[in-house]
Amino acid sequence: MTDYLFAPPKVNTVAVVGETALFPVHRIFCVGRNYAAHAAEMGNEVDREAPFYFTKTPSAVLASGQVLPYPPGTSDFHYEMELAIAIGAEAFRVPVADAMAAVYGYGCALDMTRRDLQKKGKDRRRPWDLGKDVEGSAVMAPLTRASDFAVDGRRIHLSVNGETRQDATLDDMVWSVPEIVADLSKFYHLRPGDIILTGTPAGVGPVVAGDRLDGGITGLSPLSLTIGPTQ
Ligand code: MN
C-alpha cells in the first residue's frame, strides 16, 4: 500500500442525471471567444483559424446550488454561462468526424472570472491564470448523457436576481463541439474525466455578494449559484 506524507487531494466530481455514480474530473479546459457577440463586447475579434484555450485547476469545480464567497483580489468578478462537454473516452489526434465518440455528456457550467485581473494580464501580455483559475470558479450542474441531448439550436441563458443577462443559442458557437474536441486532441491525450467549457455568449457582467445566478440550457439540468460575502 502506498504511503502519503499527508492526505492526498480529494477527487473532484460532477453529478450525472439518473446515475448514482459520479463523474470524476481530471482536467478543465476552457475555450476563449467562441461566440462572436461576446468577443465583440470584449473588444476582440474571433480567431477563425483555430480555437484557443486556457485551463482551470480541477479543484476549481463547485457543484451547482452552492454559495461561492466573493473571491480575493478582485473588484470585478464576472459570470460566464457556458455549455460543458464531459469527455468519456480517450481521444488523441481524432478527426472531427470521429470526435463525438469521446463525448460522455453535457452540462450547464459557469466560468466565473476575475475580469479586472484577466484584463490586466491581457494588457501586460501576461497569462490569464489569476483572472480565470479562481477557486470555486468552475460551477457545474449535473451532467446529461450525450445520447439524451442534442446541441443543435438549444437556448443558453443566464439571469441574475431574476433578470435575464445572457440569452443566445448554442448554434451561435463559432467552433462546434466536434471541432473543439478534435482540435484540443491535437495537443492533449484527452481521457475520461476531462471537461471542456465551450465559451460564453454576450452579456457578461459583474456580480456582488448576495446575488443569485440561475443558468440554463434547454434539455440540460439547470444551474444556480449564490455569491457570498468576501471571506
Ligand atoms: Mn469562459
Side-chain angles (χ1 to χ4, degrees), residues 38-207:
H38 170 63
E41 77 179 345
M42 301 301 291
N44 300 306
E45 279 183 24
V46 169
D47 187 343
R48 302 274 171 180
E49 202 176 300
F52 76 93
Y53 310 95
F54 55 91
T55 58
K56 288 180 189 270
T57 308
S59 59
V61 167
L62 181 70
S64 169
Q66 305 286 306
V67 176
L68 174 62
Y70 196 93
T74 182
S75 54
D76 196 23
F77 192 43
H78 275 211
Y79 54 80
E80 295 189 358
M81 179 67 200
E82 312 204 357
L83 171 73
I85 306 168
I87 297 295
E90 291 180 6
F92 182 56
R93 294 177 175 154
V94 291
V96 173
D98 298 340
M100 294 305 284
V103 177
Y104 171 82
Y106 301 95
C108 289
L110 285 171
D111 163 16
M112 299 301 293
T113 300
R114 285 188 279 230
R115 189 73 70 203
D116 41 1
L117 298 191
Q118 183 200 21
K119 184 176 185 307
K120 205 174 193 179
K122 283 183 192 172
D123 292 347
R124 298 182 184 182
R125 294 172 173 264
R126 289 175 182 170
W128 290 8
D129 300 55
L130 287 178
K132 286 294 192 179
D133 196 6
V134 181
E135 291 170 349
S137 69
V139 182
M140 299 286 310
L143 301 171
T144 294
R145 285 174 166 278
S147 52
D148 296 332
F149 178 76
V151 169
D152 306 337
R154 300 305 178 103
R155 179 177 173 233
I156 177 170
H157 55 96
L158 181 88
S159 69
V160 180
N161 304 324
E163 219 173 89
T164 300
R165 300 289 179 81
Q166 294 189 281
D167 199 346
T169 86
L170 297 179
D171 287 348
D172 295 335
M173 292 198 295
V174 174
W175 302 100
S176 69
V177 169
E179 285 171 340
I180 291 166
V181 172
D183 185 73
L184 196 56
S185 82
K186 294 174 187 169
F187 305 96
Y188 296 94
H189 292 76
L190 296 179
R191 47 150 284 177
D194 287 335
I195 283 181
I196 308 169
L197 304 190
T198 55
T200 197
V204 300
V207 293

